Amino acid sequence: MKNLTLYLVALIFLFVTKVLGQETFESKAKKIANKIEKVTKEEKAALKEEVEAVNVQLSEGKITQEQADKRKKELAEARATIIEEKVTLAQNELNDLVQQKVDGKIKEGDSIMKHALVIRWNDEIWKEGKKGKDSIRGEKRTTSQFVFAMGLNNMMVDGKLQDSNYSFIGSHFYEWGFTYNSRLMKNDNLLHAKYGLSLMYNNIRPTDNRSFVVNGDQTVLETNPVNLNESRFRNVYIVLPLHLEFDFSRPQVSNGKTYFRTHRSFRFGIGGYAGINVKSKQILKFDQDDLDYKTTIKGDYNVNNFIYGLSSYIGYRAFSLYAKYDLNPLFQDNLVKENNISLGIRVDLN
């Protein structure tokens, strides 16, 4: 509990810092978001075509249902690998951007257009002189956002955090995705349905020089005979998140008409997610005979093929504190049921 309290204090401090520098971060991070959006859309479109081709083969009786399901999973894994590689490059850019902000290299005015009145509204920029000083564009009931989240990851057993089995600080999660945000009531801005598609990475690092070993239908931690520099277990998921979002952004009145804006004030969301596992692998690093070794072992490790859970976030404008919890255990048949839990920071960029 002491470690958890310290982490929460640090996380809240980081959250406040990010809120204060939000406008600068948004303007520069938007370019990175566009890169990731392009990659994701292209790969999703390619996967859709490949899956449709498999469905045609199935309907023509050329393959069985079992073969079709296997082929679809293989295609999803291949496309997830491509997305992972390309998104990792963009993630590095985002990490560099955050570091520049921390180092004070990004000034507060870097994201503001000079010599113009700029109004940001659902990803559009309108200047004074083009639409008029008091004119704003009519909003859409449904908008879209790029979502990025990261933070700490661990496991729970019977309501207890397993920080003795897994590194508390060393285990992380990452999530990239796109969401749609639909206002539920015509004349009120409070309630929104938020839904989309995300690529989720859950990493855990076993403690005490241990790694996972498969023994029949059981996947257990065992001490490794080699002195490990790193032991990391990663699972990659494609998930469909769904949240009910409460947005306290005030409406804006112009020329006697009311316009509703989102992500301009405090907001929180409650909901969940469901998806499929597309990759499981264990990464081991060690030194031997003055040489550095890195071993990557891929397999199913008896990991559940599906994932579903609860998630929630609370924040101000684009930045939120984010928590999620898997309702089903990580491993299918283990005697000890371990459920993944995550806590971190989430960014929703309009």
Side-chain angles (χ1 to χ4, degrees), residues 19 52 55 65 74-75 77 80 83 94 101 106 121-122 139 146 202 206 235 271 284-285 296 306 326:
V19 168
E52 288 178 351
N55 288 334
Q65 183 66 56
E74 291 173 348
L75 292 171
E77 290 175 351
I83 294 175
L94 185 60
K101 177 62 182 175
I106 300 178
W121 186 265
N122 291 338
E139 87 288 348
F146 162 70
N202 288 339
N235 286 281
L284 305 177
K285 295 182 180 180
T296 300
F306 300 96
D326 293 355

PDB file of all heavy atoms in Angstrom, residues 19 52 55 65 74-75 77 80 83 94 101 106 121-122 139 146 202 206 235 271 284-285 296 306 326:
ATOM      1  N   VAL A  19      -1.535  18.838 -17.660  1.00  0.00           N
ATOM      2  CA  VAL A  19      -2.684  19.707 -17.900  1.00  0.00           C
ATOM      3  C   VAL A  19      -2.236  21.134 -18.155  1.00  0.00           C
ATOM      4  O   VAL A  19      -2.719  21.820 -19.048  1.00  0.00           O
ATOM      5  CB  VAL A  19      -3.669  19.645 -16.703  1.00  0.00           C
ATOM      6  CG1 VAL A  19      -4.700  20.757 -16.796  1.00  0.00           C
ATOM      7  CG2 VAL A  19      -4.368  18.299 -16.669  1.00  0.00           C
ATOM      8  N   GLU A  52     -12.049 -10.875 -45.896  1.00  0.00           N
ATOM      9  CA  GLU A  52     -13.123 -11.095 -46.862  1.00  0.00           C
ATOM     10  C   GLU A  52     -12.759 -12.195 -47.847  1.00  0.00           C
ATOM     11  O   GLU A  52     -13.603 -13.002 -48.244  1.00  0.00           O
ATOM     12  CB  GLU A  52     -13.419  -9.794 -47.604  1.00  0.00           C
ATOM     13  CG  GLU A  52     -14.137  -8.754 -46.748  1.00  0.00           C
ATOM     14  CD  GLU A  52     -14.368  -7.452 -47.484  1.00  0.00           C
ATOM     15  OE1 GLU A  52     -13.823  -7.303 -48.601  1.00  0.00           O
ATOM     16  OE2 GLU A  52     -15.073  -6.586 -46.946  1.00  0.00           O
ATOM     17  N   ASN A  55     -13.342 -15.414 -46.133  1.00  0.00           N
ATOM     18  CA  ASN A  55     -14.775 -15.699 -46.072  1.00  0.00           C
ATOM     19  C   ASN A  55     -15.298 -16.234 -47.400  1.00  0.00           C
ATOM     20  O   ASN A  55     -16.188 -17.092 -47.439  1.00  0.00           O
ATOM     21  CB  ASN A  55     -15.545 -14.438 -45.673  1.00  0.00           C
ATOM     22  CG  ASN A  55     -15.340 -14.076 -44.220  1.00  0.00           C
ATOM     23  OD1 ASN A  55     -15.059 -14.943 -43.396  1.00  0.00           O
ATOM     24  ND2 ASN A  55     -15.466 -12.802 -43.898  1.00  0.00           N
ATOM     25  N   GLN A  65     -14.459 -24.310 -41.457  1.00  0.00           N
ATOM     26  CA  GLN A  65     -14.611 -23.209 -40.498  1.00  0.00           C
ATOM     27  C   GLN A  65     -13.386 -23.104 -39.605  1.00  0.00           C
ATOM     28  O   GLN A  65     -12.917 -21.995 -39.285  1.00  0.00           O
ATOM     29  CB  GLN A  65     -15.872 -23.429 -39.648  1.00  0.00           C
ATOM     30  CG  GLN A  65     -16.157 -22.305 -38.660  1.00  0.00           C
ATOM     31  CD  GLN A  65     -16.496 -20.998 -39.359  1.00  0.00           C
ATOM     32  OE1 GLN A  65     -17.407 -20.939 -40.165  1.00  0.00           O
ATOM     33  NE2 GLN A  65     -15.771 -19.940 -39.038  1.00  0.00           N
ATOM     34  N   GLU A  74      -4.152 -15.699 -37.904  1.00  0.00           N
ATOM     35  CA  GLU A  74      -2.805 -15.490 -38.434  1.00  0.00           C
ATOM     36  C   GLU A  74      -2.702 -14.137 -39.137  1.00  0.00           C
ATOM     37  O   GLU A  74      -1.702 -13.420 -38.990  1.00  0.00           O
ATOM     38  CB  GLU A  74      -2.446 -16.621 -39.407  1.00  0.00           C
ATOM     39  CG  GLU A  74      -2.254 -17.978 -38.733  1.00  0.00           C
ATOM     40  CD  GLU A  74      -2.065 -19.097 -39.750  1.00  0.00           C
ATOM     41  OE1 GLU A  74      -2.308 -18.850 -40.954  1.00  0.00           O
ATOM     42  OE2 GLU A  74      -1.677 -20.211 -39.335  1.00  0.00           O
ATOM     43  N   LEU A  75      -3.734 -13.787 -39.893  1.00  0.00           N
ATOM     44  CA  LEU A  75      -3.733 -12.500 -40.593  1.00  0.00           C
ATOM     45  C   LEU A  75      -3.759 -11.340 -39.600  1.00  0.00           C
ATOM     46  O   LEU A  75      -3.060 -10.338 -39.781  1.00  0.00           O
ATOM     47  CB  LEU A  75      -4.942 -12.420 -41.528  1.00  0.00           C
ATOM     48  CG  LEU A  75      -4.925 -13.369 -42.737  1.00  0.00           C
ATOM     49  CD1 LEU A  75      -6.277 -13.336 -43.450  1.00  0.00           C
ATOM     50  CD2 LEU A  75      -3.807 -12.986 -43.700  1.00  0.00           C
ATOM     51  N   GLU A  77      -2.628 -11.373 -36.536  1.00  0.00           N
ATOM     52  CA  GLU A  77      -1.324 -11.306 -35.886  1.00  0.00           C
ATOM     53  C   GLU A  77      -0.300 -10.621 -36.777  1.00  0.00           C
ATOM     54  O   GLU A  77       0.507  -9.810 -36.313  1.00  0.00           O
ATOM     55  CB  GLU A  77      -0.851 -12.715 -35.524  1.00  0.00           C
ATOM     56  CG  GLU A  77      -1.641 -13.371 -34.397  1.00  0.00           C
ATOM     57  CD  GLU A  77      -1.211 -14.804 -34.146  1.00  0.00           C
ATOM     58  OE1 GLU A  77      -0.426 -15.330 -34.970  1.00  0.00           O
ATOM     59  OE2 GLU A  77      -1.643 -15.382 -33.134  1.00  0.00           O
ATOM     60  N   ALA A  80      -1.053  -6.943 -36.867  1.00  0.00           N
ATOM     61  CA  ALA A  80      -0.725  -6.348 -35.566  1.00  0.00           C
ATOM     62  C   ALA A  80       0.780  -6.128 -35.441  1.00  0.00           C
ATOM     63  O   ALA A  80       1.232  -5.132 -34.870  1.00  0.00           O
ATOM     64  CB  ALA A  80      -1.227  -7.240 -34.427  1.00  0.00           C
ATOM     65  N   ILE A  83       1.642  -3.043 -37.459  1.00  0.00           N
ATOM     66  CA  ILE A  83       1.216  -1.846 -36.726  1.00  0.00           C
ATOM     67  C   ILE A  83       2.146  -1.589 -35.556  1.00  0.00           C
ATOM     68  O   ILE A  83       2.542  -0.447 -35.282  1.00  0.00           O
ATOM     69  CB  ILE A  83      -0.237  -2.002 -36.237  1.00  0.00           C
ATOM     70  CG1 ILE A  83      -1.193  -2.043 -37.433  1.00  0.00           C
ATOM     71  CG2 ILE A  83      -0.628  -0.854 -35.312  1.00  0.00           C
ATOM     72  CD1 ILE A  83      -2.637  -2.318 -37.069  1.00  0.00           C
ATOM     73  N   LEU A  94       6.818  10.521 -29.741  1.00  0.00           N
ATOM     74  CA  LEU A  94       5.997  11.067 -28.665  1.00  0.00           C
ATOM     75  C   LEU A  94       6.784  11.132 -27.365  1.00  0.00           C
ATOM     76  O   LEU A  94       6.703  12.109 -26.613  1.00  0.00           O
ATOM     77  CB  LEU A  94       4.735  10.216 -28.487  1.00  0.00           C
ATOM     78  CG  LEU A  94       3.711  10.727 -27.462  1.00  0.00           C
ATOM     79  CD1 LEU A  94       3.217  12.108 -27.844  1.00  0.00           C
ATOM     80  CD2 LEU A  94       2.541   9.761 -27.371  1.00  0.00           C
ATOM     81  N   LYS A 101       9.398  18.611 -23.405  1.00  0.00           N
ATOM     82  CA  LYS A 101       8.554  19.429 -22.535  1.00  0.00           C
ATOM     83  C   LYS A 101       9.115  19.455 -21.119  1.00  0.00           C
ATOM     84  O   LYS A 101       9.185  20.504 -20.475  1.00  0.00           O
ATOM     85  CB  LYS A 101       7.122  18.880 -22.537  1.00  0.00           C
ATOM     86  CG  LYS A 101       6.182  19.631 -21.593  1.00  0.00           C
ATOM     87  CD  LYS A 101       6.042  21.072 -21.994  1.00  0.00           C
ATOM     88  CE  LYS A 101       5.128  21.808 -21.011  1.00  0.00           C
ATOM     89  NZ  LYS A 101       5.057  23.243 -21.303  1.00  0.00           N
ATOM     90  N   ILE A 106      10.281  23.113 -25.119  1.00  0.00           N
ATOM     91  CA  ILE A 106       9.074  23.525 -25.833  1.00  0.00           C
ATOM     92  C   ILE A 106       8.480  24.722 -25.113  1.00  0.00           C
ATOM     93  O   ILE A 106       8.095  24.619 -23.951  1.00  0.00           O
ATOM     94  CB  ILE A 106       8.043  22.388 -25.902  1.00  0.00           C
ATOM     95  CG1 ILE A 106       8.629  21.181 -26.637  1.00  0.00           C
ATOM     96  CG2 ILE A 106       6.768  22.861 -26.589  1.00  0.00           C
ATOM     97  CD1 ILE A 106       7.691  20.014 -26.705  1.00  0.00           C
ATOM     98  N   TRP A 121     -11.988  23.796 -33.212  1.00  0.00           N
ATOM     99  CA  TRP A 121     -13.325  23.206 -33.063  1.00  0.00           C
ATOM    100  C   TRP A 121     -13.378  21.939 -33.893  1.00  0.00           C
ATOM    101  O   TRP A 121     -13.412  21.968 -35.105  1.00  0.00           O
ATOM    102  CB  TRP A 121     -14.360  24.219 -33.553  1.00  0.00           C
ATOM    103  CG  TRP A 121     -15.757  23.766 -33.314  1.00  0.00           C
ATOM    104  CD1 TRP A 121     -16.576  23.124 -34.176  1.00  0.00           C
ATOM    105  CD2 TRP A 121     -16.494  23.925 -32.122  1.00  0.00           C
ATOM    106  NE1 TRP A 121     -17.771  22.869 -33.611  1.00  0.00           N
ATOM    107  CE2 TRP A 121     -17.759  23.356 -32.348  1.00  0.00           C
ATOM    108  CE3 TRP A 121     -16.226  24.484 -30.883  1.00  0.00           C
ATOM    109  CZ2 TRP A 121     -18.741  23.337 -31.375  1.00  0.00           C
ATOM    110  CZ3 TRP A 121     -17.206  24.471 -29.930  1.00  0.00           C
ATOM    111  CH2 TRP A 121     -18.442  23.897 -30.184  1.00  0.00           C
ATOM    112  N   ASN A 122     -13.382  20.765 -33.198  1.00  0.00           N
ATOM    113  CA  ASN A 122     -13.471  19.476 -33.881  1.00  0.00           C
ATOM    114  C   ASN A 122     -12.449  19.331 -35.005  1.00  0.00           C
ATOM    115  O   ASN A 122     -12.771  19.004 -36.140  1.00  0.00           O
ATOM    116  CB  ASN A 122     -14.876  19.271 -34.448  1.00  0.00           C
ATOM    117  CG  ASN A 122     -15.890  19.085 -33.346  1.00  0.00           C
ATOM    118  OD1 ASN A 122     -15.550  18.708 -32.244  1.00  0.00           O
ATOM    119  ND2 ASN A 122     -17.144  19.357 -33.654  1.00  0.00           N
ATOM    120  N   GLU A 139     -21.338  22.527 -34.607  1.00  0.00           N
ATOM    121  CA  GLU A 139     -20.644  21.316 -34.169  1.00  0.00           C
ATOM    122  C   GLU A 139     -21.359  20.063 -34.655  1.00  0.00           C
ATOM    123  O   GLU A 139     -22.532  20.106 -35.025  1.00  0.00           O
ATOM    124  CB  GLU A 139     -20.520  21.295 -32.645  1.00  0.00           C
ATOM    125  CG  GLU A 139     -21.707  20.680 -31.900  1.00  0.00           C
ATOM    126  CD  GLU A 139     -22.932  21.581 -31.932  1.00  0.00           C
ATOM    127  OE1 GLU A 139     -22.814  22.749 -32.322  1.00  0.00           O
ATOM    128  OE2 GLU A 139     -24.012  21.103 -31.532  1.00  0.00           O
ATOM    129  N   PHE A 146      -7.945  10.661 -31.274  1.00  0.00           N
ATOM    130  CA  PHE A 146      -6.835   9.723 -31.152  1.00  0.00           C
ATOM    131  C   PHE A 146      -6.564   9.532 -29.672  1.00  0.00           C
ATOM    132  O   PHE A 146      -6.511  10.491 -28.908  1.00  0.00           O
ATOM    133  CB  PHE A 146      -5.583  10.274 -31.849  1.00  0.00           C
ATOM    134  CG  PHE A 146      -4.311   9.590 -31.425  1.00  0.00           C
ATOM    135  CD1 PHE A 146      -4.057   8.290 -31.799  1.00  0.00           C
ATOM    136  CD2 PHE A 146      -3.383  10.258 -30.631  1.00  0.00           C
ATOM    137  CE1 PHE A 146      -2.888   7.656 -31.401  1.00  0.00           C
ATOM    138  CE2 PHE A 146      -2.215   9.636 -30.230  1.00  0.00           C
ATOM    139  CZ  PHE A 146      -1.966   8.335 -30.618  1.00  0.00           C
ATOM    140  N   ASN A 202       0.163  -5.200 -22.782  1.00  0.00           N
ATOM    141  CA  ASN A 202       0.308  -5.431 -21.352  1.00  0.00           C
ATOM    142  C   ASN A 202       1.629  -6.152 -21.089  1.00  0.00           C
ATOM    143  O   ASN A 202       1.833  -7.269 -21.577  1.00  0.00           O
ATOM    144  CB  ASN A 202      -0.857  -6.270 -20.809  1.00  0.00           C
ATOM    145  CG  ASN A 202      -2.149  -5.482 -20.752  1.00  0.00           C
ATOM    146  OD1 ASN A 202      -2.142  -4.260 -20.734  1.00  0.00           O
ATOM    147  ND2 ASN A 202      -3.276  -6.171 -20.737  1.00  0.00           N
ATOM    148  N   PRO A 206       8.561 -10.411 -14.190  1.00  0.00           N
ATOM    149  CA  PRO A 206       8.691 -11.236 -12.993  1.00  0.00           C
ATOM    150  C   PRO A 206       9.911 -10.823 -12.163  1.00  0.00           C
ATOM    151  O   PRO A 206      10.930 -10.360 -12.691  1.00  0.00           O
ATOM    152  CB  PRO A 206       8.857 -12.655 -13.552  1.00  0.00           C
ATOM    153  CG  PRO A 206       8.253 -12.597 -14.924  1.00  0.00           C
ATOM    154  CD  PRO A 206       8.549 -11.219 -15.420  1.00  0.00           C
ATOM    155  N   ASN A 235       1.795  -9.290 -23.744  1.00  0.00           N
ATOM    156  CA  ASN A 235       0.606  -9.714 -24.464  1.00  0.00           C
ATOM    157  C   ASN A 235       0.040  -8.531 -25.222  1.00  0.00           C
ATOM    158  O   ASN A 235      -0.070  -7.417 -24.687  1.00  0.00           O
ATOM    159  CB  ASN A 235      -0.442 -10.264 -23.494  1.00  0.00           C
ATOM    160  CG  ASN A 235      -0.079 -11.635 -22.969  1.00  0.00           C
ATOM    161  OD1 ASN A 235      -0.267 -12.640 -23.650  1.00  0.00           O
ATOM    162  ND2 ASN A 235       0.462 -11.683 -21.762  1.00  0.00           N
ATOM    163  N   GLY A 271     -16.919   2.372 -18.098  1.00  0.00           N
ATOM    164  CA  GLY A 271     -17.307   1.406 -19.116  1.00  0.00           C
ATOM    165  C   GLY A 271     -16.417   0.189 -19.096  1.00  0.00           C
ATOM    166  O   GLY A 271     -16.009  -0.283 -18.036  1.00  0.00           O
ATOM    167  N   LEU A 284      13.776 -12.408 -22.795  1.00  0.00           N
ATOM    168  CA  LEU A 284      14.794 -12.639 -21.771  1.00  0.00           C
ATOM    169  C   LEU A 284      16.125 -12.050 -22.243  1.00  0.00           C
ATOM    170  O   LEU A 284      16.556 -12.294 -23.370  1.00  0.00           O
ATOM    171  CB  LEU A 284      14.970 -14.140 -21.515  1.00  0.00           C
ATOM    172  CG  LEU A 284      13.702 -14.922 -21.133  1.00  0.00           C
ATOM    173  CD1 LEU A 284      14.022 -16.407 -20.984  1.00  0.00           C
ATOM    174  CD2 LEU A 284      13.079 -14.375 -19.855  1.00  0.00           C
ATOM    175  N   LYS A 285      16.765 -11.274 -21.375  1.00  0.00           N
ATOM    176  CA  LYS A 285      18.082 -10.697 -21.680  1.00  0.00           C
ATOM    177  C   LYS A 285      19.077 -11.123 -20.606  1.00  0.00           C
ATOM    178  O   LYS A 285      18.758 -11.098 -19.410  1.00  0.00           O
ATOM    179  CB  LYS A 285      17.994  -9.169 -21.741  1.00  0.00           C
ATOM    180  CG  LYS A 285      17.129  -8.639 -22.872  1.00  0.00           C
ATOM    181  CD  LYS A 285      17.128  -7.116 -22.898  1.00  0.00           C
ATOM    182  CE  LYS A 285      16.256  -6.574 -24.028  1.00  0.00           C
ATOM    183  NZ  LYS A 285      16.258  -5.086 -24.067  1.00  0.00           N
ATOM    184  N   THR A 296      13.787 -14.045 -27.561  1.00  0.00           N
ATOM    185  CA  THR A 296      12.343 -13.794 -27.653  1.00  0.00           C
ATOM    186  C   THR A 296      11.639 -15.113 -27.966  1.00  0.00           C
ATOM    187  O   THR A 296      11.915 -15.742 -28.989  1.00  0.00           O
ATOM    188  CB  THR A 296      12.025 -12.769 -28.749  1.00  0.00           C
ATOM    189  OG1 THR A 296      12.695 -11.539 -28.446  1.00  0.00           O
ATOM    190  CG2 THR A 296      10.522 -12.520 -28.819  1.00  0.00           C
ATOM    191  N   PHE A 306      -9.275 -14.477 -25.439  1.00  0.00           N
ATOM    192  CA  PHE A 306     -10.133 -13.304 -25.376  1.00  0.00           C
ATOM    193  C   PHE A 306      -9.842 -12.515 -24.102  1.00  0.00           C
ATOM    194  O   PHE A 306      -9.323 -13.051 -23.124  1.00  0.00           O
ATOM    195  CB  PHE A 306     -11.609 -13.706 -25.421  1.00  0.00           C
ATOM    196  CG  PHE A 306     -11.981 -14.457 -26.665  1.00  0.00           C
ATOM    197  CD1 PHE A 306     -12.014 -15.850 -26.672  1.00  0.00           C
ATOM    198  CD2 PHE A 306     -12.278 -13.777 -27.835  1.00  0.00           C
ATOM    199  CE1 PHE A 306     -12.339 -16.542 -27.825  1.00  0.00           C
ATOM    200  CE2 PHE A 306     -12.613 -14.466 -28.992  1.00  0.00           C
ATOM    201  CZ  PHE A 306     -12.639 -15.850 -28.989  1.00  0.00           C
ATOM    202  N   ASP A 326      -8.909  -6.406 -15.965  1.00  0.00           N
ATOM    203  CA  ASP A 326      -9.419  -7.549 -16.717  1.00  0.00           C
ATOM    204  C   ASP A 326     -10.301  -8.414 -15.822  1.00  0.00           C
ATOM    205  O   ASP A 326      -9.857  -8.845 -14.743  1.00  0.00           O
ATOM    206  CB  ASP A 326      -8.264  -8.404 -17.250  1.00  0.00           C
ATOM    207  CG  ASP A 326      -7.452  -7.685 -18.311  1.00  0.00           C
ATOM    208  OD1 ASP A 326      -7.848  -6.567 -18.700  1.00  0.00           O
ATOM    209  OD2 ASP A 326      -6.412  -8.233 -18.741  1.00  0.00           O
TER     210      ASP A 326
END
